Amino acid sequence: MRFATQAGGAPSGQEWIDRAKRLEALGYGTLAMPDHMIGGAWAAIPALAVAATVTQKLRVGTLVIDNDFRNPTVFARECATIDVLTNGRFELGIGAGWLDRDYQSTGIPFDRGRVRVARLAEAVTLMKRLFTEEQVTFAGEYYNVEKAECRPKTVQQPHPPFLIAGGGPDILKLAGHEANIVAIVPSGITGSGQIPPEKFRLETMREQIGMVRDAAGARFGEIELSMFLDCTLTDDREKAIVELATKTGPGGRAVIDPDLVRNSAYRGIGTLREIRDHIVKVRDTVGITYFCLRGPDVEKLGPIVTELTGK
């Protein structure tokens, strides 16, 4: 098993450095960063490069870069450079984009999902060729390059692992074909719409992994399955569930059904033992072995990381 955590930044550069060092000491395998244009998130590549510089074994990754905000030829060079600077500790997480506010703030059109996934598929194909070939000429529907080059060549061969995150059939099929790591998310996370409760359940996650398996065929056994787990450490699980359900509700009224919080595969709520047992249940039920833990208690979850990684 492996554990990552995701952070968009820190109050200061020194606090970012200190946190990276603490995460490594706690046994986390990866520090990952999102790619949002709102909410104060930092630019991922320079921040990850610094985090890798002050650590020895901690991997760094994008979770995930929005493909629509990057030219794949330019981005491939950035990825190759950070892979060399980190001596092969970079994970290339990429997705088709989902948050409409990110697109509004950049002025980039928010195309329908199938278009964004098709564009991502071309970008992944182009980037893999750039990592492995001396010169690339590519003519697609969305990208066209002539005699493109990517330097330096990556430490990880044939290239850094591609992590593709998604929940819908189209992107899961793409992930099955192309990804080294697949991060399963609830389908329907697009824009600011509401997601049906069943999308958060283990049964749905199993169906999504089945889509990856069907697309991957014989290579499915080589794919590492991953997910986000939002954690709340508490001695009173039921009280925490009610509080999470009413967090943004006017007058303390529940804005979501507490059962959605209680039964979500994507939430770990309770004591260290309860959160640990939830992780093990997900692993044993659907085969996920790479967990990205999030929330205010990430560093307090160190004992779980130590136990389940055996480090």
Side-chain angles (χ1 to χ4, degrees):
M1 295 183 73
R2 292 204 293 151
F3 290 89
T5 190
Q6 185 193 55
S12 71
Q14 188 59 53
E15 290 181 66
W16 176 254
I17 289 170
D18 292 342
R19 188 173 193 218
K21 292 178 179 178
R22 292 195 303 270
L23 290 170
E24 182 175 54
L26 288 167
Y28 280 91
T30 309
L31 172 58
M33 294 189 72
D35 187 33
H36 292 302
M37 303 298 151
I38 61 172
W42 290 6
I45 297 298
L48 292 173
V50 170
T53 299
V54 300
T55 54
Q56 302 299 315
K57 297 180 180 179
L58 187 70
R59 295 180 66 80
V60 295
T62 51
L63 192 58
V64 292
I65 286 293
D66 186 328
N67 177 65
D68 286 341
F69 302 155
R70 306 292 189 283
N71 175 288
T73 303
V74 176
F75 186 52
R77 184 176 64 170
E78 293 183 3
C79 293
T81 300
I82 193 171
D83 193 60
V84 169
L85 291 173
T86 62
N87 194 30
R89 287 187 279 149
F90 178 61
E91 294 178 3
L92 199 175
I94 193 165
W98 64 274
L99 185 59
D100 51 3
R101 281 285 290 111
D102 280 336
Y103 286 78
Q104 293 164 8
S105 68
T106 59
I108 295 172
F110 188 46
D111 294 325
R112 67 186 189 275
R114 287 189 174 180
V115 172
R116 288 181 280 115
V117 172
R119 189 158 47 232
L120 172 62
E122 277 195 14
V124 170
T125 297
L126 175 54
M127 291 180 71
K128 285 187 175 182
R129 289 189 59 191
L130 286 163
F131 288 137
T132 56
E133 300 176 23
E134 293 301 311
Q135 282 192 338
V136 176
T137 295
F138 179 90
E141 183 175 353
Y142 303 101
Y143 303 109
N144 290 273
V145 301
E146 185 174 350
K147 296 181 179 179
E149 299 181 3
C150 178
R151 298 289 189 280
K153 288 305 178 185
T154 60
V155 171
Q156 298 178 93
Q157 291 295 317
H159 48 68
F162 275 79
L163 181 155
I164 295 178
D170 290 340
I171 196 163
L172 291 175
K173 181 178 179 180
L174 171 62
H177 286 306
E178 300 288 351
N180 305 102
I181 308 166
V182 179
I184 304 295
V185 301
S187 62
I189 295 183
T190 302
S192 54
Q194 295 295 314
I195 305 174
E198 62 270 16
K199 301 296 185 181
F200 295 91
R201 294 173 183 162
L202 275 173
E203 292 78 7
T204 302
M205 187 179 289
R206 185 186 290 110
E207 294 171 1
Q208 292 171 297
I209 293 171
M211 296 177 194
V212 176
R213 180 184 295 105
D214 291 344
R219 67 179 293 271
F220 179 73
E222 303 170 9
I223 294 175
E224 186 175 30
L225 297 174
S226 179
M227 66 173 288
F228 293 107
L229 187 67
D230 292 314
C231 298
T232 302
L233 191 59
T234 176
D235 291 328
D236 191 337
R237 186 172 188 271
E238 286 304 312
K239 180 180 178 182
I241 288 169
V242 172
E243 289 176 348
L244 287 167
T246 60
K247 191 171 183 180
T248 57
R253 296 191 300 273
V255 292
I256 56 176
D257 187 341
D259 278 342
L260 175 58
V261 179
R262 184 177 295 108
N263 299 320
S264 173
Y266 297 90
R267 287 190 179 273
I269 305 170
T271 62
L272 284 173
R273 177 54 55 178
E274 287 173 316
I275 295 174
R276 179 260 185 208
D277 288 348
H278 179 84
I279 291 170
V280 171
K281 178 181 178 181
V282 173
R283 180 196 65 188
D284 293 347
T285 303
V286 298
I288 286 176
T289 59
Y290 190 11
F291 291 83
C292 181
L293 308 183
R294 303 191 297 189
D297 303 312
V298 161
E299 294 187 30
K300 296 178 182 178
L301 301 176
I304 296 175
V305 174
T306 299
E307 178 189 347
L308 294 181
T309 59
K311 297 180 181 178

